Every structure is written in C-alpha cells, then in structure tokens.
Amino acid sequence: MSAESLVQLRGVRMHFFDKRGLVAQVLRHEAGAVHAVDDVDLDIPGGQIVGLVGESGSGKTTLGRTIVGLQRPTAGAVLFDGRDLGRASRAELRRLRRRMQMIFQEPHASLSPRHRVASLLSEPYRIHRISPEERSSVGELLEMVELSPEIASHFPHQLSGGQARRVGIARALALHPELVVADEPTSGLDASAAAAVLNLIKGLRERLGLTYLVITHDLNVVGYLAETIAVMYLGQLVEIGPAERIYESPAHPYTQALLSALPEPGDGRVERRLLLPGEIPSPRTPPAGCRFHTRCAYAQERSRLESPQLEQIEPDHLVACHFWREVRAAATASRPPERRRDGDSRH
Ligand SMILES: Nc1ncnc2c1ncn2[C@@H]1O[C@H](COP(=O)(O)OP(=O)(O)O)[C@@H](O)[C@H]1O
Ligand code: SF4
Ligand SMILES: [Mg+2]
C-alpha cells in the first residue's frame, strides 16, 4: 500500500508538556505530559477517503493538525508525497503545506467575524502570496461548494451552520490542495445539512481528485464516505481496515461499541450516545497494558499487563487486541440482523 500512499505516518507521537504536566513531573506526580497521540502508523492512499473515528479526547484533532504540519510531532515522522515534513527546509515546508489543508471543526470560530465571505475566501491567497493568475475567483469557490453568489457579501454571523461549513470548505480548497483533513465536518448540523455536507465532500473528491482524512466521533457518519476506517482510542489506533469489513466484522471491542452508539433522542442532530461504561481515562495517565482495559467487557489479566500491538488479521485489516478472535466470534453470534451494513439506513 505504501508505494501509492500520499501520506505516511511512522511512529507519530504528540505529547503536550503543558504547565500542569511540567509541575507534576518536577514533583514526581504520576500525572505528566498529555499523551494525545502515541506511536501512530497510518497510510493514506492518494484519492482515498480515510475515516478517523473515536470519541472526544482520543487525539483525532491533534493527529489531523500534525499531519497537515500545523504542529511538529514529539517523535516519529509524517511523510507527504514521500517527503519527511520534519526534514524539509522552511521554504519546502511552506510549499508542501499549500498542498494539504484542514477544514476546522468550528466553522464560525475559524471565520473572522469582521470580514465578509468574499474577503475570507481570498485570505489564503494573501497569506500564501498567490499571484492573481493562479487564484480562483470568489464566484468559482462559492460555486464549488454549491453556495449562491450573494453569499459573498455576507458576514459569518449571517450564515447558517451548513453555509459556514461550506465557506470553510471553500477556504480550504482555494489553494488547490491534494490532501484535505476535515475535522468533524457534520458536528452541530441537523441530519439533512449533515448529509448534504457529506455528499459535497464526496462529490469534490471525484471532481478534484482529492484525498481526505475525515475526522469524526461518529462511526455511523463516516461509514458512508470512507473506503478505509481507522479507529482511535486514547491516542492509539486500535483497528484499521476496509470500511465494509469494519462494519460487517469489527474485531476490536471499542469499534463494536462505536458501532452500537445510539442517536441522541429528539433534536434531529447527528450526535450519538456511546454504549460504553465510564469515561475515557485521562491521557495524562493512560492505563497500563491495553489502554482500553478499564472499559472493556472482554478484558483479561493479560490485557492489564501487556499492550497489544496492531496485527494483520486479513488483507488490509489490522487490530490491536489480544483476544480479537473471541471478540469477533461473540459479536457475530449476538448481532441482530438489522445491524448489518446492507440492511441499515445510514444513507
Ligand atoms: N495544546 C494542547 N495542550 C495540552 N493538551 C492538549 C492540547 N491539544 C489537545 N490536548 C489534549 O489532548 C487530548 C486529545 O485531544 P484532541 O486531539 O482534541 O482529541 P479529539 O479530537 O479526539 O477530541 C485531549 O485530552 C486534549 O485535552
Ligand atoms: S486486549 Fe483485552 S482489554 Fe484490550 S481490547 Fe482486547 S480484550 Fe479488551
Ligand atoms: Mg477533535
């Protein structure tokens, strides 16, 4: 797979040594650095949509920001088109960063409130000093994200959630990137606006030949889009595989929990409730052994002692669980038929 991969992550680690962590280290308290991302290996093949899923606090945004070069990893390497970002000169890094863009989670927060949409859309050109011939017009960018030309004169507060999200997408696409990292593209949107944004993302992939990493806490959202799904828990990838295999036959207990998440009742938004005991532990003090053992119904003594490594269980499908065979057998036996991918109604 790696020969054609646009992005290759090798042992990527991102620890935050904030003030609290430093004080704790000096005082030799257990709580130290925030282990936001630990030893992640992942390939994103050119032209694919890879879904990165996991509940809030699992390190998805941090990994996304690290991939597009917004922050340097504590350890490990990010390779884009074969080039190691950590070894690139400042000028080369600037050129590479044009080719990868992030759609930020909070569209309203990432759009300066005092600027009209037209100005917001040309801002990336000013920042990157793009010559006028190379620029797309505001009209072209709006058309690309299926917004009407009148939106150009609007201020961010005049935009609906879906429109603001589209302006964020247009801003990311202004520089004609090859890779787009979309952070929670449907968060805060109602079901129909969310579906429209996902369709737009998919359509733009076809039209512009984009490669995407789509970040979401909702496996049921990204299953519709992604060819490959990577599941993250407390800073580590626990399962990676073709989307249909992840749906049909999830091998990690955490993936199974994500798949069984229920829609929040009532408000029509796409947030879901996870059927898992307890909260995600603090990334300052990740549990020893398997990080999931404090919440896992299948945990055994070995889970507490030994950290499971990702192992290949079928072509392109990797899982980090000592007991994935038992887990998968139990899930297949107990799964009601309506949970099956072909029979469900996520679309
Ligand atoms: N700049 C930072 N300084 C300290 N901790 C951070 C920083 N950024 C993120 N974190 C912590 O790292 C962990 C992972 O965060 P994040 O990547 O935002 O997860 P997700 O996007 O999956 O919700 C969280 O515990 C978060 O509080
Ligand atoms: S290794 Fe143990 S605790 Fe970790 S996911 Fe597998 S069964 Fe659960
Ligand atoms: Mg996030």
Side-chain angles (χ1 to χ4, degrees):
M1 202 194 257
S2 52
E4 68 223 61
S5 291
L6 185 60
V7 178
Q8 293 165 273
L9 307 181
R10 295 293 174 261
V12 169
R13 184 179 297 174
M14 193 71 217
H15 290 181
F16 293 110
F17 296 91
D18 59 1
K19 212 166 158 193
R20 197 173 136 203
L22 289 174
V23 171
Q25 273 187 340
V26 171
L27 299 176
R28 293 180 183 278
H29 284 168
E30 244 185 59
V34 178
H35 295 228
V37 174
D38 262 327
D39 303 321
V40 164
D41 291 328
L42 181 68
D43 282 9
I44 306 178
Q48 261 209 17
I49 300 181
V50 173
L52 178 64
V53 301
E55 72 203 288
S56 179
S58 53
K60 307 180 299 297
T61 297
T62 302
L63 188 60
R65 291 173 58 86
T66 309
I67 291 173
V68 299
L70 290 174
Q71 56 200 17
R72 262 172 184 271
T74 313
V78 177
L79 283 82
F80 180 82
D81 198 11
R83 244 78 57 86
D84 185 339
L85 300 188
R87 292 168 188 266
S89 67
R90 192 178 286 209
E92 190 185 11
L93 193 60
R94 199 175 320 122
R95 281 196 299 276
L96 288 169
R97 280 188 49 187
R98 255 183 77 177
R99 298 168 62 190
M100 36 192 172
Q101 293 295 318
M102 188 146 178
I103 302 170
F104 295 98
Q105 178 172 2
E106 298 293 341
H108 277 112
S110 63
L111 302 175
S112 166
R114 285 175 295 110
H115 290 104
R116 295 180 194 273
V117 167
S119 163
L120 292 168
L121 291 178
S122 50
E123 190 176 53
Y125 297 131
R126 295 195 293 274
I127 292 172
H128 286 267
R129 299 202 193 103
I130 307 292
S131 65
E133 312 81 74
E134 280 187 88
R135 300 182 180 192
S136 301
S137 70
V138 168
E140 281 167 338
L141 290 170
L142 288 173
E143 194 266 336
M144 203 184 276
V145 294
E146 296 161 15
L147 286 174
S148 62
E150 306 85 79
I151 297 282
S153 60
H154 286 22
F155 287 100
H157 74 266
Q158 297 173 297
L159 304 174
S160 71
Q163 288 171 335
R165 181 71 58 179
R166 283 162 196 269
V167 170
I169 295 174
R171 252 163 80 93
L173 296 178
L175 293 165
H176 307 295
E178 290 150 66
L179 172 76
V180 174
V181 173
D183 195 1
E184 306 277 5
T186 58
S187 75
L189 302 183
D190 64 31
S192 77
V197 164
L198 293 180
N199 275 325
L200 176 67
I201 285 176
K202 200 170 190 172
L204 288 168
R205 188 262 298 262
E206 319 288 310
R207 209 168 130 189
L208 306 175
L210 296 171
T211 303
Y212 283 102
L213 182 72
V214 176
I215 295 175
T216 171
H217 62 279
D218 190 345
L219 187 42
N220 294 287
V221 164
V222 86
Y224 159 66
L225 277 186
E227 282 91 12
T228 297
I229 288 185
V231 180
M232 195 164 189
Y233 183 75
L234 206 48
Q236 297 180 319
L237 294 184
V238 298
E239 186 162 4
I240 308 169
E244 64 276 12
R245 294 305 295 150
I246 298 276
Y247 272 90
E248 282 160 14
S249 199
H252 198 283
Y254 184 59
T255 312
Q256 292 179 0
L258 291 177
L259 276 171
S260 65
L262 297 174
E264 285 288 358
D267 67 357
R269 290 174 191 259
V270 288
E271 322 298 336
R272 287 165 194 271
R273 197 155 29 101
L274 198 56
L275 295 179
L276 257 190
E279 297 288 312
I280 187 167
S282 165
R284 288 178 196 277
T285 49
C290 176
R291 288 190 178 180
F292 190 52
H293 83 250
T294 55
R295 300 167 85 191
C296 181
Y298 300 89
Q300 299 184 34
E301 185 61 13
R302 188 177 168 202
S303 309
R304 278 178 281 278
L305 300 173
E306 198 185 318
S307 171
Q309 302 300 306
L310 280 172
E311 63 173 302
Q312 183 158 338
I313 62 170
E314 55 189 23
D316 297 327
H317 190 172
L318 296 93
V319 68
C321 169
H322 299 308
F323 306 108
W324 64 266
R325 287 182 186 80
E326 293 87 328
V327 169
R328 191 136 95 156
T332 310
S334 66
R335 187 160 37 140
E338 65 269 22
R339 268 274 150 217
R340 295 174 66 101
R341 192 174 201 229
D342 35 318
D344 77 16
S345 56
R346 280 171 302 104
H347 303 201

